[in-house]
Amino acid sequence: MIAITGATGHLGQLVIEKLLTSVNPQEIVAIVRNPAKAQALSDKGVLVRSGDYNDSAALALALQGVEKLLLISSSEVGQRTSQHRNVIEAAKAAGVKLIAYTSLLHADTSPLGLAAEHVETEAMLAASGIPTVLLRNGWYTENYLASVPPALEHGVFIGSAGKGAIASAPRTDYADAAARVLTLDDQGGKIYELAGDEAWTLSELCATLSTLSGKNVAYQDLPEADFAAALVGAGLPEGFAALLADSDAGAAKGGLFDDSHQLSALLGRPTTPLIDSLKAVV
């Protein structure tokens, strides 16, 4: 059986959707915090089991009979290391034979503050003795799409990425790659640096946005602290605003760039270009 943690999250649902095209639903285990929110998965024949990142014992029960586990990184930044430790310990207790983990692009050398907990998790996985495959995901294109409506309204797209190249892909591309890895043999020990085929800067995003919308949208590059303050002013919590600003600053240092095309190689097709994602929101 193949299990997916965080199965009702955006990525988890997409992975399961892809798996269902080639795997019997009774061989897929959706591990969720609240089974009541997973009725749609149950209706498709997927096995839904209760499991919270903070409850190692419950996770061990949820993982009984599971051979492969997709550990989707927790959304609770700052608590990820302890939560992931619970999942890894539970997987070991349940006899899981392979863990695929959604890490961060070039986590071991990344300038992004987000990398720290991924590096710690990768180290725990290495020490666990469980064969592991690292899915080092690059940036989701969706991370910038929420900024499109206000940019169109005000004619300005703000950020701190400078001229940093961002090799993004939409979440569905990363989900398809994860599903592919989970259905392949001999994946233990592999590290995939996953990113979009075509990199772009925020200035180039604005140029594409201007062309699609017929409105002039300019990119305004801000110091990291000013960008974080602007995000707080727009209503984001301080911690999340600081995280986004740090990630943008990391992009300026090359932290979101990769040109190895490992994602498209896994998919067997080109990754989805930025313009296609923008068309969906313009």
Side-chain angles (χ1 to χ4, degrees):
M1 289 194 292
I2 299 172
I4 296 91
T5 65
T8 51
H10 293 301
L11 183 64
Q13 291 187 72
L14 290 170
V15 172
I16 291 176
E17 182 179 310
K18 184 65 176 180
L19 283 174
L20 284 170
T21 64
S22 61
V23 178
N24 186 310
Q26 290 297 310
E27 291 296 313
I28 301 172
V29 178
I31 298 178
V32 299
R33 182 178 300 175
N34 183 358
K37 294 183 178 181
Q39 187 59 48
L41 294 175
S42 294
D43 292 344
K44 294 177 181 179
V46 173
L47 301 177
V48 175
R49 296 179 181 176
S50 178
D52 189 306
Y53 285 105
N54 295 307
D55 190 340
S56 188
L59 288 165
L61 287 175
L63 290 171
Q64 290 299 311
V66 169
E67 294 184 357
K68 296 179 180 181
L69 167 65
L70 175 62
L71 169 51
I72 294 179
S73 55
S74 165
S75 61
E76 298 180 76
V77 177
Q79 301 181 51
R80 284 173 162 173
T81 300
S82 61
Q83 291 178 333
H84 295 166
R85 181 182 296 112
N86 289 337
V87 179
I88 294 166
E89 290 176 351
K92 192 168 184 177
V96 171
K97 295 179 174 61
L98 177 78
I99 296 179
Y101 171 63
T102 60
S103 187
L104 179 70
L105 185 67
H106 300 296
D108 51 343
T109 59
S110 175
L112 276 69
L114 278 173
E117 289 180 299
H118 288 296
V119 170
E120 291 169 350
T121 300
E122 289 186 8
M124 289 188 296
L125 286 164
S128 72
I130 302 172
T132 298
V133 52
L134 300 178
L135 305 174
R136 287 179 169 171
N137 289 350
W139 225 228
Y140 297 155
T141 304
E142 288 89 344
N143 291 349
Y144 284 108
L145 296 185
S147 299
V148 168
L152 290 173
E153 180 181 354
H154 300 292
V156 177
F157 193 109
I158 63 173
S160 293
K163 296 180 180 179
I166 300 165
S168 77
R171 191 176 280 109
T172 185
D173 283 358
Y174 294 106
D176 287 0
R180 173 72 173 152
V181 165
L182 290 168
T183 55
L184 291 173
D185 295 326
D186 303 319
Q187 293 298 294
K190 292 185 180 292
I191 299 175
Y192 293 100
E193 303 290 354
L194 302 176
D197 290 336
E198 300 175 10
W200 43 269
T201 65
L202 288 181
S203 292
E204 289 169 336
L205 180 152
C206 289
T208 303
L209 193 54
S210 298
T211 299
L212 289 174
S213 66
K215 301 178 180 179
N216 185 47
V217 179
Y219 174 55
Q220 182 178 359
D221 196 60
L222 300 173
E224 181 181 342
D226 292 351
F227 182 38
L231 293 173
V232 171
L236 293 184
E238 287 189 10
F240 187 49
L243 182 154
L244 291 178
D246 172 83
S247 298
D248 247 32
K253 301 172 184 175
L256 299 180
F257 176 73
D258 179 85
D259 61 356
S260 65
H261 301 282
Q262 294 180 47
L263 178 54
S264 54
L266 263 180
L267 296 175
R269 61 168 173 81
T271 58
T272 306
L274 172 66
I275 190 170
D276 287 3
S277 296
L278 290 177
K279 284 177 179 178
V281 295
V282 173

